[in-house]
Each structure stands twice: as C-alpha cells, then as structure tokens.
Amino acid sequence: MNVKATNKVETNRYELELEVSAEEFNEAINAVYKRESKKMNIPGFRKGHAPRAFVEKYYGEEVFYEAAVDHLYRPMVMEAVEKSGLQVISIGEFKIDEIGKEKGLLCKLNVVTKPEASIEGYKGIEVFKEPVVVSQGDIDQEIERVRERNSRVIHVEDRAAANGDIVTIDFDGYLDGKQFDGGKAENYELTLGAGQFIPGFEDQVVGHTIGEEFDISVTFPEDYHAEELKGKPVVFKIKLHEIKMKELPEVDDEFVKDVSEFDTLEEYRKDIEQKLLSQREKAADADVENQLVEAVIEKVQADIPDEMVENEVDEIINSFAYRLQSQGLKLETYLKYTGQTTDDLRTQYKPQAERQVKVRLGLEKIAELENLKPTEEETEAEYQKLADSYGMPLESVKNLVTVEGINGDIQNQKAIDFIRENAVIQEAKDEEKAEEKPAPKKRASRKKAKTEEEKPEEVAEEKSEG
C-alpha cells in the first residue's frame, strides 16, 4: 500500500490518497474467495469447490470486491496513518475512486489529527493555599463520632420523651377531619430533634410518656411536595409505645484503650490531630493542584476538533460503565433506573471531556517546551505500581497498558510538578496553625482487630490511603 498524497483539507483535517497495487488487491480477493466460496453453490461443482474463475463468471467479476476491500481496510488504514506521519485521533470518510483486478485500488481516506497547542504564562502562576489548622474542637468532634459508633441503645421507662430520644409511635393524620394519604403509620421509629418530620411534630412528642395517646397540631410548609397539603393545618393522633436513648461511653483512658492502640487520652488526641493535619495538608495540596490545572485550561490555545472531545466522552462513559459493572450493575440498567439515555450521559459529560482534553494538551505542550521526559526507571516503576495495585503479574500489565500510555501519564505529572515548582503559592499566616508534633508512642496491640472500625472515619481513610 502506498500513500500517494497527504492533502490538508482544513485545520486538523487531512485527506490521504491511498493506492493498493493490483497484486495486493488480487491477494486480498484470493483470501476472500477461499473464505466465501465455501458458502456458494455453482452448477456442476460441489458446494465450495468451484474455482475462483467460475465463481466470478457465474456471479460477476466484482463478486469479491467489497469483501476484499473490507479485508484490506484495517491494515491499510493502520499503515496509511503510520506512513503519513500524522497524529491521527479519528478516522473519517473512506471513498473508493477506482477498483479492479488490473488497476488495484485507488481510494481516499479522511482523518482528523491532534491539534497543535500553544501555551504561555505557565511559569509564575499565582495560587492560594488554604492554611492547614486543626483545632481542639475538631479533635473533640472526631472523638464524639467514635463515641457515637460505640454507643448502646437502652430502654427508658422512668421519664418522659426528650430531644435525642428514639421513640416508637403510631400516627394517623387528619385534614379537615378526614384521613389523608400517606399520613398513617404504626410502630414508626423517630429520633426526636433530628428534623425528620415537618416542623413542630417532634417538639410536640417531647414531654409525653409511654402508653400516652395525644393529638399534635402542625401546619405543612408552603413548599411541601404534596399539592393538597401545602400550607394546610392538620392534626395527628399519636400513640407512644416506646422510648429509647443512646448511652455514650465516657471519654477516658479506658475508652481510648478500647477504641485505639494508645494507652492515654492525651496520646489518642495527639494521634487524631496529626492524622487530621496530614489529611488536610493533602487536601490543601490537591486544591493548589486544581487551581494550577484551572490556570492551564485558561492559558492553553488550540483548535480542538469535535471528534477529540467525543472520543474523550467515550472514555469517560466506558470508565463509568466499568465502575457500575464492578458494583454488579449494567449501564443499560442504570439508565433505565434513572430515566436517562446514552445521549443524556454524553451531554452531561461533554463539559468534563472538553476540560480534560484542554488540560492534557496544555500539559503535553509544557512537557515538550521544558523537555520533560520519563526515564526508563520511572516507566518501569509506574508499571510495577499498577501491577501491585491490581495484584497482577508485571508482564500482564505490560501487555494491557501501552508504554505510550504510561509515559504520557508520567510526562503530564512532570508538567504539573514543574508548574507547581514555578508557581507563586500564597499561604495565609494563621497564628493558631497547629505545630508539627512528634508521633505518640503506640502501645502493644490490644483489641487490634477492632481498631480500624472504631477510629474516626477520616483517620481510617488516611490509613487506607497510605
């Protein structure tokens, strides 16, 4: 196959003139004949045993042309792209100009190429980094969450219901003296003060005791979802069956020994503080990186073809479908449940795709301008990281992920690191910012199996990220 000419049609669009020799075309016809003739009936021959000349005479000389072109198409396109030297991102229209056993094949292939990007002002970008502070109140809040997870529910018999209690009630609602739909339930568990019901309902349960039957008068909000109840005063008949309350453990050294690997409350508080500081430092760094990415998006200049964005949308949807599948749900089922179509998803993800394309083009251009290239050691380390992450043999990962893909990711990260190193990062000074403190000494693992579940959620997440 020969690329006769590469003609620029418009920005990022080319027409390739391709030529397949008569010899190559006839080889393709022979390959197709051997496959297709097995299904053909020719008078005077057993099925599939008629010579090619007889088949062409019976069905017409061009009988195998279309199949021969199909046979040639993929390798021809791949070779054409390679020989053209263009960075092709999408294949467009394919048109045959001439075809025949004596002429071979003359055709044209339209392709879309990767745009040439430009970027200026990527050094000295000004960004703001949020101060990283952990207050004593933050630590208290984490400990309170651990207390909640380690609480126990006890029955209350000797007092009236109070805010924070969990009550079991029957209720029956009346509008203008008549029951209304959705206003009745039996043995319903309600946490008083949680704001689960319309304003005023829970407050009027407070103060009543087990076995009491009483009425509650409330008015539905003007923006209530049921049209017939908006702004309407109603009466609920209530019967109170049960009162329960959460009993939280005391925060002392014994509590700390039960929920952590530390011996004292002081050590435990220091550990929570350090982990929160680490987590918030990472979040602040991630925010700085996001600001830099936003700046790259604004500064990069490129005529981006629609096909490039659509390809990115395809990647996003495929990734989303894979995540759904890992949760046991097919994309088609998800769309059915949500009342969406694939076109809806494409519209939803298009802005994200446009941003990702711009970011990638900008980072690639910065890497080119600054000569940022991955080393063999970095490439190998990234492959090993993927293998460890997915629990796969190294060679299997190398068969699945191209070197170009790996190096592209490394190169883009180098570009991000470069603009960060050359950025002007403003960080507000805060007198209350927590100082780095040495890690408290951990005790021998006591109740270790329970530690992960009972640490604050952020702390557990931090460990998993590490």
Side-chain angles (χ1 to χ4, degrees), residues 109-135:
L109 178 69
N110 286 294
V111 298
V112 181
T113 59
K114 185 177 179 179
E116 179 62 36
S118 63
I119 187 168
E120 296 180 356
Y122 57 86
K123 295 179 183 178
I125 296 173
E126 293 186 6
V127 294
F128 176 77
K129 182 178 179 180
E130 289 288 343
V132 178
V133 180
V134 174
S135 69

PDB file of all heavy atoms in Angstrom, residues 109-135:
ATOM      1  N   LEU A 109      -8.945   8.605   2.082  1.00  0.00           N
ATOM      2  CA  LEU A 109      -9.299   8.424   3.493  1.00  0.00           C
ATOM      3  C   LEU A 109      -9.177   9.763   4.202  1.00  0.00           C
ATOM      4  O   LEU A 109      -8.123  10.406   4.163  1.00  0.00           O
ATOM      5  CB  LEU A 109      -8.352   7.403   4.144  1.00  0.00           C
ATOM      6  CG  LEU A 109      -8.567   7.131   5.632  1.00  0.00           C
ATOM      7  CD1 LEU A 109      -9.879   6.384   5.853  1.00  0.00           C
ATOM      8  CD2 LEU A 109      -7.401   6.324   6.205  1.00  0.00           C
ATOM      9  N   ASN A 110     -10.276  10.205   4.822  1.00  0.00           N
ATOM     10  CA  ASN A 110     -10.252  11.451   5.591  1.00  0.00           C
ATOM     11  C   ASN A 110      -9.924  11.152   7.049  1.00  0.00           C
ATOM     12  O   ASN A 110     -10.498  10.219   7.647  1.00  0.00           O
ATOM     13  CB  ASN A 110     -11.599  12.163   5.500  1.00  0.00           C
ATOM     14  CG  ASN A 110     -11.805  12.807   4.145  1.00  0.00           C
ATOM     15  OD1 ASN A 110     -11.112  13.740   3.775  1.00  0.00           O
ATOM     16  ND2 ASN A 110     -12.750  12.277   3.376  1.00  0.00           N
ATOM     17  N   VAL A 111      -9.007  11.916   7.611  1.00  0.00           N
ATOM     18  CA  VAL A 111      -8.603  11.713   9.006  1.00  0.00           C
ATOM     19  C   VAL A 111      -8.629  13.042   9.752  1.00  0.00           C
ATOM     20  O   VAL A 111      -8.503  14.113   9.152  1.00  0.00           O
ATOM     21  CB  VAL A 111      -7.192  11.090   9.105  1.00  0.00           C
ATOM     22  CG1 VAL A 111      -7.164   9.715   8.457  1.00  0.00           C
ATOM     23  CG2 VAL A 111      -6.135  12.006   8.498  1.00  0.00           C
ATOM     24  N   VAL A 112      -8.808  12.926  11.060  1.00  0.00           N
ATOM     25  CA  VAL A 112      -8.755  14.094  11.951  1.00  0.00           C
ATOM     26  C   VAL A 112      -7.485  13.958  12.785  1.00  0.00           C
ATOM     27  O   VAL A 112      -7.190  12.879  13.319  1.00  0.00           O
ATOM     28  CB  VAL A 112      -9.988  14.153  12.873  1.00  0.00           C
ATOM     29  CG1 VAL A 112      -9.925  15.396  13.763  1.00  0.00           C
ATOM     30  CG2 VAL A 112     -11.271  14.150  12.047  1.00  0.00           C
ATOM     31  N   THR A 113      -6.737  15.034  12.888  1.00  0.00           N
ATOM     32  CA  THR A 113      -5.450  14.975  13.584  1.00  0.00           C
ATOM     33  C   THR A 113      -5.486  15.737  14.911  1.00  0.00           C
ATOM     34  O   THR A 113      -6.347  16.593  15.140  1.00  0.00           O
ATOM     35  CB  THR A 113      -4.331  15.558  12.710  1.00  0.00           C
ATOM     36  OG1 THR A 113      -4.643  16.922  12.394  1.00  0.00           O
ATOM     37  CG2 THR A 113      -4.174  14.755  11.433  1.00  0.00           C
ATOM     38  N   LYS A 114      -4.546  15.377  15.736  1.00  0.00           N
ATOM     39  CA  LYS A 114      -4.397  16.038  17.032  1.00  0.00           C
ATOM     40  C   LYS A 114      -4.014  17.498  16.807  1.00  0.00           C
ATOM     41  O   LYS A 114      -3.137  17.804  15.998  1.00  0.00           O
ATOM     42  CB  LYS A 114      -3.305  15.321  17.827  1.00  0.00           C
ATOM     43  CG  LYS A 114      -3.127  15.829  19.242  1.00  0.00           C
ATOM     44  CD  LYS A 114      -2.052  14.974  19.928  1.00  0.00           C
ATOM     45  CE  LYS A 114      -1.808  15.446  21.340  1.00  0.00           C
ATOM     46  NZ  LYS A 114      -0.781  14.605  22.012  1.00  0.00           N
ATOM     47  N   PRO A 115      -4.659  18.427  17.507  1.00  0.00           N
ATOM     48  CA  PRO A 115      -4.370  19.847  17.276  1.00  0.00           C
ATOM     49  C   PRO A 115      -3.018  20.255  17.848  1.00  0.00           C
ATOM     50  O   PRO A 115      -2.530  19.666  18.813  1.00  0.00           O
ATOM     51  CB  PRO A 115      -5.513  20.553  18.010  1.00  0.00           C
ATOM     52  CG  PRO A 115      -5.905  19.595  19.092  1.00  0.00           C
ATOM     53  CD  PRO A 115      -5.727  18.229  18.507  1.00  0.00           C
ATOM     54  N   GLU A 116      -2.436  21.240  17.255  1.00  0.00           N
ATOM     55  CA  GLU A 116      -1.208  21.831  17.771  1.00  0.00           C
ATOM     56  C   GLU A 116      -1.594  22.862  18.819  1.00  0.00           C
ATOM     57  O   GLU A 116      -2.326  23.813  18.538  1.00  0.00           O
ATOM     58  CB  GLU A 116      -0.415  22.493  16.642  1.00  0.00           C
ATOM     59  CG  GLU A 116       0.867  23.166  17.097  1.00  0.00           C
ATOM     60  CD  GLU A 116       1.870  22.191  17.706  1.00  0.00           C
ATOM     61  OE1 GLU A 116       1.953  21.049  17.225  1.00  0.00           O
ATOM     62  OE2 GLU A 116       2.563  22.593  18.656  1.00  0.00           O
ATOM     63  N   ALA A 117      -1.126  22.667  20.033  1.00  0.00           N
ATOM     64  CA  ALA A 117      -1.482  23.574  21.126  1.00  0.00           C
ATOM     65  C   ALA A 117      -0.357  24.566  21.379  1.00  0.00           C
ATOM     66  O   ALA A 117       0.808  24.318  21.064  1.00  0.00           O
ATOM     67  CB  ALA A 117      -1.775  22.772  22.390  1.00  0.00           C
ATOM     68  N   SER A 118      -0.727  25.690  21.952  1.00  0.00           N
ATOM     69  CA  SER A 118       0.273  26.666  22.407  1.00  0.00           C
ATOM     70  C   SER A 118      -0.123  27.122  23.805  1.00  0.00           C
ATOM     71  O   SER A 118      -1.306  27.115  24.166  1.00  0.00           O
ATOM     72  CB  SER A 118       0.340  27.864  21.465  1.00  0.00           C
ATOM     73  OG  SER A 118      -0.901  28.554  21.458  1.00  0.00           O
ATOM     74  N   ILE A 119       0.872  27.485  24.587  1.00  0.00           N
ATOM     75  CA  ILE A 119       0.579  27.948  25.944  1.00  0.00           C
ATOM     76  C   ILE A 119       1.669  28.906  26.389  1.00  0.00           C
ATOM     77  O   ILE A 119       2.854  28.691  26.125  1.00  0.00           O
ATOM     78  CB  ILE A 119       0.456  26.757  26.926  1.00  0.00           C
ATOM     79  CG1 ILE A 119      -0.020  27.241  28.293  1.00  0.00           C
ATOM     80  CG2 ILE A 119       1.753  25.980  27.038  1.00  0.00           C
ATOM     81  CD1 ILE A 119      -0.440  26.117  29.221  1.00  0.00           C
ATOM     82  N   GLU A 120       1.246  29.974  27.032  1.00  0.00           N
ATOM     83  CA  GLU A 120       2.179  30.970  27.568  1.00  0.00           C
ATOM     84  C   GLU A 120       1.786  31.301  29.000  1.00  0.00           C
ATOM     85  O   GLU A 120       0.651  31.089  29.414  1.00  0.00           O
ATOM     86  CB  GLU A 120       2.156  32.244  26.715  1.00  0.00           C
ATOM     87  CG  GLU A 120       2.652  32.028  25.288  1.00  0.00           C
ATOM     88  CD  GLU A 120       2.605  33.307  24.471  1.00  0.00           C
ATOM     89  OE1 GLU A 120       2.109  34.333  25.003  1.00  0.00           O
ATOM     90  OE2 GLU A 120       3.041  33.290  23.304  1.00  0.00           O
ATOM     91  N   GLY A 121       2.752  31.816  29.732  1.00  0.00           N
ATOM     92  CA  GLY A 121       2.465  32.279  31.091  1.00  0.00           C
ATOM     93  C   GLY A 121       2.233  31.169  32.093  1.00  0.00           C
ATOM     94  O   GLY A 121       1.555  31.380  33.106  1.00  0.00           O
ATOM     95  N   TYR A 122       2.806  29.997  31.839  1.00  0.00           N
ATOM     96  CA  TYR A 122       2.599  28.891  32.778  1.00  0.00           C
ATOM     97  C   TYR A 122       3.619  28.895  33.917  1.00  0.00           C
ATOM     98  O   TYR A 122       3.531  28.082  34.828  1.00  0.00           O
ATOM     99  CB  TYR A 122       2.629  27.545  32.039  1.00  0.00           C
ATOM    100  CG  TYR A 122       3.892  27.272  31.249  1.00  0.00           C
ATOM    101  CD1 TYR A 122       5.012  26.704  31.851  1.00  0.00           C
ATOM    102  CD2 TYR A 122       3.958  27.580  29.892  1.00  0.00           C
ATOM    103  CE1 TYR A 122       6.160  26.457  31.124  1.00  0.00           C
ATOM    104  CE2 TYR A 122       5.098  27.320  29.160  1.00  0.00           C
ATOM    105  CZ  TYR A 122       6.210  26.769  29.772  1.00  0.00           C
ATOM    106  OH  TYR A 122       7.343  26.514  29.053  1.00  0.00           O
ATOM    107  N   LYS A 123       4.594  29.805  33.842  1.00  0.00           N
ATOM    108  CA  LYS A 123       5.512  29.984  34.967  1.00  0.00           C
ATOM    109  C   LYS A 123       5.044  31.170  35.800  1.00  0.00           C
ATOM    110  O   LYS A 123       4.623  32.190  35.265  1.00  0.00           O
ATOM    111  CB  LYS A 123       6.933  30.233  34.464  1.00  0.00           C
ATOM    112  CG  LYS A 123       7.557  29.056  33.727  1.00  0.00           C
ATOM    113  CD  LYS A 123       8.954  29.404  33.253  1.00  0.00           C
ATOM    114  CE  LYS A 123       9.573  28.273  32.440  1.00  0.00           C
ATOM    115  NZ  LYS A 123      10.918  28.619  31.928  1.00  0.00           N
ATOM    116  N   GLY A 124       5.142  31.022  37.104  1.00  0.00           N
ATOM    117  CA  GLY A 124       4.752  32.124  37.993  1.00  0.00           C
ATOM    118  C   GLY A 124       3.254  32.255  38.188  1.00  0.00           C
ATOM    119  O   GLY A 124       2.765  33.339  38.539  1.00  0.00           O
ATOM    120  N   ILE A 125       2.507  31.191  37.973  1.00  0.00           N
ATOM    121  CA  ILE A 125       1.058  31.238  38.209  1.00  0.00           C
ATOM    122  C   ILE A 125       0.804  31.464  39.708  1.00  0.00           C
ATOM    123  O   ILE A 125       1.398  30.799  40.560  1.00  0.00           O
ATOM    124  CB  ILE A 125       0.392  29.924  37.760  1.00  0.00           C
ATOM    125  CG1 ILE A 125       0.551  29.740  36.255  1.00  0.00           C
ATOM    126  CG2 ILE A 125      -1.084  29.906  38.133  1.00  0.00           C
ATOM    127  CD1 ILE A 125       0.079  28.386  35.740  1.00  0.00           C
ATOM    128  N   GLU A 126      -0.062  32.408  40.007  1.00  0.00           N
ATOM    129  CA  GLU A 126      -0.375  32.708  41.414  1.00  0.00           C
ATOM    130  C   GLU A 126      -1.564  31.881  41.882  1.00  0.00           C
ATOM    131  O   GLU A 126      -2.630  31.909  41.261  1.00  0.00           O
ATOM    132  CB  GLU A 126      -0.671  34.199  41.586  1.00  0.00           C
ATOM    133  CG  GLU A 126       0.539  35.091  41.340  1.00  0.00           C
ATOM    134  CD  GLU A 126       0.261  36.550  41.655  1.00  0.00           C
ATOM    135  OE1 GLU A 126      -0.843  36.846  42.175  1.00  0.00           O
ATOM    136  OE2 GLU A 126       1.131  37.394  41.399  1.00  0.00           O
ATOM    137  N   VAL A 127      -1.363  31.150  42.971  1.00  0.00           N
ATOM    138  CA  VAL A 127      -2.433  30.344  43.561  1.00  0.00           C
ATOM    139  C   VAL A 127      -2.435  30.561  45.068  1.00  0.00           C
ATOM    140  O   VAL A 127      -1.459  31.053  45.646  1.00  0.00           O
ATOM    141  CB  VAL A 127      -2.268  28.840  43.246  1.00  0.00           C
ATOM    142  CG1 VAL A 127      -2.432  28.579  41.767  1.00  0.00           C
ATOM    143  CG2 VAL A 127      -0.923  28.323  43.733  1.00  0.00           C
ATOM    144  N   PHE A 128      -3.536  30.174  45.701  1.00  0.00           N
ATOM    145  CA  PHE A 128      -3.671  30.342  47.152  1.00  0.00           C
ATOM    146  C   PHE A 128      -3.795  28.981  47.809  1.00  0.00           C
ATOM    147  O   PHE A 128      -4.555  28.122  47.348  1.00  0.00           O
ATOM    148  CB  PHE A 128      -4.919  31.184  47.463  1.00  0.00           C
ATOM    149  CG  PHE A 128      -5.188  31.313  48.941  1.00  0.00           C
ATOM    150  CD1 PHE A 128      -4.448  32.176  49.727  1.00  0.00           C
ATOM    151  CD2 PHE A 128      -6.174  30.549  49.540  1.00  0.00           C
ATOM    152  CE1 PHE A 128      -4.693  32.284  51.087  1.00  0.00           C
ATOM    153  CE2 PHE A 128      -6.429  30.656  50.900  1.00  0.00           C
ATOM    154  CZ  PHE A 128      -5.685  31.522  51.675  1.00  0.00           C
ATOM    155  N   LYS A 129      -3.032  28.785  48.868  1.00  0.00           N
ATOM    156  CA  LYS A 129      -3.117  27.555  49.631  1.00  0.00           C
ATOM    157  C   LYS A 129      -3.772  27.829  50.974  1.00  0.00           C
ATOM    158  O   LYS A 129      -3.324  28.683  51.739  1.00  0.00           O
ATOM    159  CB  LYS A 129      -1.724  26.950  49.848  1.00  0.00           C
ATOM    160  CG  LYS A 129      -1.763  25.622  50.600  1.00  0.00           C
ATOM    161  CD  LYS A 129      -0.365  25.019  50.746  1.00  0.00           C
ATOM    162  CE  LYS A 129      -0.428  23.703  51.521  1.00  0.00           C
ATOM    163  NZ  LYS A 129       0.917  23.096  51.672  1.00  0.00           N
ATOM    164  N   GLU A 130      -4.844  27.100  51.224  1.00  0.00           N
ATOM    165  CA  GLU A 130      -5.563  27.268  52.492  1.00  0.00           C
ATOM    166  C   GLU A 130      -4.664  26.866  53.655  1.00  0.00           C
ATOM    167  O   GLU A 130      -3.950  25.864  53.590  1.00  0.00           O
ATOM    168  CB  GLU A 130      -6.818  26.391  52.509  1.00  0.00           C
ATOM    169  CG  GLU A 130      -7.921  26.854  51.576  1.00  0.00           C
ATOM    170  CD  GLU A 130      -8.603  28.112  52.069  1.00  0.00           C
ATOM    171  OE1 GLU A 130      -8.447  28.439  53.270  1.00  0.00           O
ATOM    172  OE2 GLU A 130      -9.277  28.765  51.255  1.00  0.00           O
ATOM    173  N   PRO A 131      -4.690  27.641  54.733  1.00  0.00           N
ATOM    174  CA  PRO A 131      -3.906  27.253  55.906  1.00  0.00           C
ATOM    175  C   PRO A 131      -4.423  25.944  56.498  1.00  0.00           C
ATOM    176  O   PRO A 131      -5.622  25.701  56.515  1.00  0.00           O
ATOM    177  CB  PRO A 131      -4.117  28.421  56.880  1.00  0.00           C
ATOM    178  CG  PRO A 131      -5.372  29.080  56.425  1.00  0.00           C
ATOM    179  CD  PRO A 131      -5.433  28.888  54.945  1.00  0.00           C
ATOM    180  N   VAL A 132      -3.520  25.124  56.923  1.00  0.00           N
ATOM    181  CA  VAL A 132      -3.886  23.830  57.499  1.00  0.00           C
ATOM    182  C   VAL A 132      -3.895  23.962  59.017  1.00  0.00           C
ATOM    183  O   VAL A 132      -2.850  24.142  59.639  1.00  0.00           O
ATOM    184  CB  VAL A 132      -2.899  22.729  57.054  1.00  0.00           C
ATOM    185  CG1 VAL A 132      -3.257  21.395  57.694  1.00  0.00           C
ATOM    186  CG2 VAL A 132      -2.904  22.606  55.536  1.00  0.00           C
ATOM    187  N   VAL A 133      -5.088  23.877  59.574  1.00  0.00           N
ATOM    188  CA  VAL A 133      -5.263  24.072  61.015  1.00  0.00           C
ATOM    189  C   VAL A 133      -6.168  22.986  61.559  1.00  0.00           C
ATOM    190  O   VAL A 133      -7.156  22.616  60.922  1.00  0.00           O
ATOM    191  CB  VAL A 133      -5.885  25.466  61.321  1.00  0.00           C
ATOM    192  CG1 VAL A 133      -6.067  25.651  62.820  1.00  0.00           C
ATOM    193  CG2 VAL A 133      -5.025  26.566  60.738  1.00  0.00           C
ATOM    194  N   VAL A 134      -5.816  22.462  62.717  1.00  0.00           N
ATOM    195  CA  VAL A 134      -6.682  21.530  63.437  1.00  0.00           C
ATOM    196  C   VAL A 134      -6.915  22.089  64.826  1.00  0.00           C
ATOM    197  O   VAL A 134      -5.977  22.285  65.598  1.00  0.00           O
ATOM    198  CB  VAL A 134      -6.057  20.119  63.526  1.00  0.00           C
ATOM    199  CG1 VAL A 134      -6.914  19.212  64.395  1.00  0.00           C
ATOM    200  CG2 VAL A 134      -5.901  19.505  62.143  1.00  0.00           C
ATOM    201  N   SER A 135      -8.162  22.383  65.144  1.00  0.00           N
ATOM    202  CA  SER A 135      -8.493  22.935  66.452  1.00  0.00           C
ATOM    203  C   SER A 135      -8.833  21.822  67.434  1.00  0.00           C
ATOM    204  O   SER A 135      -9.067  20.677  67.051  1.00  0.00           O
ATOM    205  CB  SER A 135      -9.687  23.887  66.318  1.00  0.00           C
ATOM    206  OG  SER A 135     -10.865  23.146  66.014  1.00  0.00           O
TER     207      SER A 135
END
